Amino acid sequence: MDLALSLGETPKPFTFLDKSQKIAGNDLGFCMAFGEKSAEADTGGKVSLDSDLPIQLDLLPFSPVPRNQTSFDKLHFSWLNENLVGEPGNVNRRIGGVEEAEEAMAISSPNSTVSSFQMDFSIYRNGRGKRDFETVTLEGDADRGGASSRASDDEENSMARKKLRLTKEQSAFLEESFKEQSTLNPKQKQALAKQLNLRPRQVEVWFQNRRARTKLKQTEVDCEYLKSCCETLTEENRRLQKELQELRALKASQPFYMQPPATTLSMCPSCERVSTTTTSTAAASPTTAIASAGGMTPSNMGQSLANPKLFSFSPGQIHAQQAAS
DNA sequence: AGTAATTATAGCATTACCTCA
DNA sequence: GATGAGGTAATGCTATAATTA
């Protein structure tokens, strides 16, 4: 049994003879052809495909990509740069005129069973040619985001939660898009989904997960930075304690040595330079001195480490100031 | 103008699936 | 072949903002 699928305004005759060339080519995903044996649709809307059923899926590209382009760095994410509906934090759901028609095509009406159902056809193979996940999902459920864009309860019950694996090309394309913009407005999402032959919800989820990964990575980096700061300060504290001990020992051995007045360090908020004021009470410890120099208490020093600006003077500076006084 | 309802989306935590050692 | 760990797609929930009636 041959099954031909054509998604687009101008269905073209299916030329299965061309499929190998189309697959072999590097043009991304607007025409997919697979040699499979048979298709059985179950009531859940899934179709499992066997090995020699010829299927061609033609999709009209949202923004045409030249056929001779072979690397993603040549791709233009024109849709990312357009002044499209909806800014982050200002989601515009009003679509008018041509855009509305276009959107209506992309977002199919849940009630329409004829022209507006969205077909999501996904066949993925891993590197060894093994079939990872194959479904053909016929869904009248448009992407809405949130619960209603997910499979209906019936579909949910009838089909187990399958995990698709994005192809390398899809992942790379999504990565490139993410580099340009970490969030998508609805139209960009639609366009990307169309280009990658994914459901908009999948694109949305991918971006959400990608943002989460980025944040996690950043947290790890921050953690490492704070750790190194902590180590540096611990080492510096150790050094200053040692120095203090030496000074005390020196003082004990030379009781008639002129004792300098105790100093308190303070930082000028404008120039961020450390200045000293002579007081009658000595700083309890070098750590206290450092903390007071930054307008901090030792207990909140840790928080300030995250912001180097707040702790932008080196212990050496303090030392020099003390020596100068 | 103020308000409640609706809708879309982001963030987050978690689950479930898949791959690989 | 079984298994555990890690990666990640998907889900569920909450909070927030924009829009509409």
Side-chain angles (χ1 to χ4, degrees):
Chain A
M1 176 183 172
D2 291 349
L3 172 63
L5 302 173
S6 177
L7 300 181
E9 290 158 319
T10 56
K12 289 176 271 187
F14 292 97
T15 54
F16 292 111
L17 289 175
D18 292 338
K19 67 189 178 188
S20 58
Q21 290 175 343
K22 286 179 179 178
I23 289 176
N26 286 324
D27 48 336
L28 184 69
F30 302 122
C31 176
M32 299 175 72
F34 303 93
E36 302 290 346
K37 190 180 282 176
S38 64
E40 318 177 346
D42 63 22
T43 53
K46 285 200 298 184
V47 175
S48 61
L49 298 156
D50 282 318
S51 61
D52 64 3
L53 169 67
I55 297 172
Q56 175 173 322
L57 177 62
D58 281 334
L59 297 174
L60 291 180
F62 179 79
S63 65
V65 178
R67 294 215 167 243
N68 58 357
Q69 276 185 338
T70 57
S71 61
F72 288 114
D73 57 0
K74 290 180 185 171
L75 295 175
H76 298 290
F77 302 101
S78 56
W79 47 272
L80 286 175
N81 298 324
E82 287 171 29
N83 190 13
L84 299 169
V85 290
E87 296 293 323
N90 180 25
V91 181
N92 189 345
R93 295 176 202 90
R94 295 284 152 258
I95 304 161
V98 177
E99 285 181 353
E100 185 167 19
E102 199 174 276
E103 191 84 354
M105 260 179 37
I107 305 176
S108 54
S109 162
N111 299 324
S112 169
T113 57
V114 180
S115 62
S116 61
F117 71 82
Q118 185 177 3
M119 178 174 285
D120 178 21
F121 178 82
S122 308
I123 295 181
Y124 300 103
R125 294 172 189 280
N126 65 19
R128 295 185 298 274
K130 181 183 154 203
R131 193 173 302 162
D132 285 329
F133 166 54
E134 300 178 352
T135 60
V136 171
T137 305
L138 305 179
E139 52 179 28
D141 189 12
D143 175 67
R144 179 202 72 72
S148 75
S149 70
R150 292 155 197 163
S152 67
D153 286 346
D154 287 346
E155 284 172 334
E156 198 103 42
N157 294 335
S158 63
M159 73 181 191
R161 178 168 158 178
K162 286 281 184 181
K163 184 166 184 172
L164 72 84
R165 192 83 193 170
L166 297 178
T167 63
K168 275 184 180 177
E169 289 78 14
Q170 286 171 321
S171 295
F173 201 94
L174 287 166
E175 276 294 339
E176 286 298 317
S177 308
F178 186 83
K179 275 182 197 167
E180 297 199 14
Q181 226 172 296
S182 63
T183 55
L184 298 173
N185 67 36
K187 191 160 185 179
Q188 289 170 337
K189 184 173 69 182
Q190 290 286 346
L192 197 49
K194 214 169 178 180
Q195 278 194 303
L196 295 175
N197 195 30
L198 294 170
R199 274 173 285 139
R201 172 64 183 165
Q202 289 176 296
V203 173
E204 179 182 308
V205 165
W206 188 93
F207 268 74
Q208 280 173 6
N209 286 321
R210 185 66 181 75
R211 283 193 293 269
R213 282 198 292 276
T214 302
K215 191 177 178 184
L216 187 66
K217 225 172 187 174
Q218 187 56 47
T219 302
E220 285 171 4
V221 169
D222 290 348
C223 204
E224 281 302 309
Y225 174 72
L226 285 174
K227 224 162 107 182
S228 69
C229 281
C230 188
E231 282 168 7
T232 304
L233 280 175
T234 302
E235 180 56 37
E236 186 62 18
N237 190 33
R238 201 174 293 134
R239 193 185 66 75
L240 288 170
Q241 290 281 9
K242 191 181 167 191
E243 198 175 309
L244 187 62
Q245 273 186 345
E246 286 169 4
L247 287 171
R248 280 180 178 153
L250 188 67
K251 181 185 165 189
S253 65
Q254 298 177 342
F256 303 112
Y257 186 78
M258 197 178 99
Q259 187 174 346
T263 57
T264 301
L265 302 178
S266 61
M267 180 184 277
C268 171
S270 58
C271 64
E272 292 187 350
R273 280 175 179 274
V274 175
S275 62
T276 59
T277 54
T278 304
T279 64
S280 58
T281 55
S285 70
T287 307
T288 309
I290 293 168
S292 63
M296 297 178 284
T297 62
S299 61
N300 71 7
M301 279 178 72
Q303 299 166 3
S304 303
L305 292 176
N307 186 352
K309 242 325 202 185
L310 293 178
F311 201 74
S312 59
F313 56 94
S314 69
Q317 272 181 282
I318 298 170
H319 199 63
Q321 289 284 341
Q322 280 181 315
S325 62

